[in-house]
Amino acid sequence: TTVEARVSVPASAPARTYPVFVEVVADGRTVARSTVRAEVLEPVSVSGLRPVFGAALAPGVEATVINQARRTVKAAVRLAVPGWQTDPSALTLELKPGASRQARFGVASPALDSGRRYQVKVQAETADGSRSETAADLNFLPCLRTKAKTKVDGDLGEWTGVPKAVVGGELRPL
């Protein structure tokens, strides 16, 4: 025998695990009892935090924002690192049910040292006040590429036209 049940949760319910007591009654008597768990999710989740580089090796951060709700959701997304100025300072994303988008922020200041790890956090907040965030330790070390043929011989002469990067505190070509 299959028994179906529907549980409604108010939109304002905080995201967490809720115990749900289930009692099955047949012919006026209880035939089964159980407690199950219902997981209420935030409407929006943030994941996949990673460093990125723009023109002239300008550092940035990118994260994936996912709508877990069954309705279209607008979320304000921001990079939350004390002392950092980002471009843009915040993004507003409108996501259809199940959709995901990349949120990308350039780091305008401070200058980042490629030899250091930074604790970086991206937060998303919906109009109803639901919040989600993800954090990671990121190292902003660019991987430079050249179109020229290269050989591993210790001579960096073939790396022409490649921007210089600060590595270990000195300015030198990679």
Side-chain angles (χ1 to χ4, degrees):
T1 302
T2 300
V3 177
E4 292 185 23
R6 182 177 300 260
V7 177
S8 296
V9 179
S12 61
R16 66 179 178 90
T17 302
Y18 291 88
V20 178
F21 180 72
V22 178
E23 186 174 72
V24 179
V25 178
D27 298 325
R29 63 185 186 94
T30 302
V31 293
R33 288 188 179 129
S34 182
T35 301
V36 295
R37 294 182 299 160
E39 186 76 25
V40 175
L41 303 174
E42 292 290 355
V44 172
S45 72
V46 183
S47 64
L49 190 58
R50 68 187 187 100
V52 293
F53 295 91
L57 298 179
V61 175
E62 188 173 84
T64 303
V65 181
I66 304 163
N67 181 0
Q68 302 179 124
R70 292 185 178 177
R71 65 188 184 335
T72 298
V73 172
K74 276 190 183 178
V77 184
R78 68 184 187 91
L79 184 62
V81 181
W84 283 22
Q85 292 180 345
T86 63
D87 182 27
S89 59
L91 291 170
T92 300
L93 301 178
E94 185 169 330
L95 300 165
K96 294 184 189 257
S100 67
R101 291 216 9 226
Q102 299 300 111
R104 187 174 187 148
F105 301 90
V107 178
S109 70
L112 301 179
D113 178 4
S114 63
R116 182 175 163 209
R117 296 185 78 72
Y118 295 89
Q119 177 67 33
V120 177
K121 187 185 302 183
V122 173
Q123 299 173 326
E125 184 172 355
T126 60
D128 66 5
S130 296
R131 288 183 174 201
S132 179
E133 67 181 36
T134 189
D137 287 331
L138 300 181
N139 186 342
F140 292 83
L141 182 61
C143 177
L144 303 177
R145 299 175 190 257
T146 180
K147 291 182 181 180
K149 248 187 179 174
T150 59
K151 58 184 170 176
V152 180
D153 60 2
D155 178 15
L156 299 180
E158 66 265 18
W159 287 85
T160 58
V162 176
K164 294 182 180 181
V166 176
V167 178
E170 343 176 354
L171 188 61
R172 60 182 172 179
L174 292 177

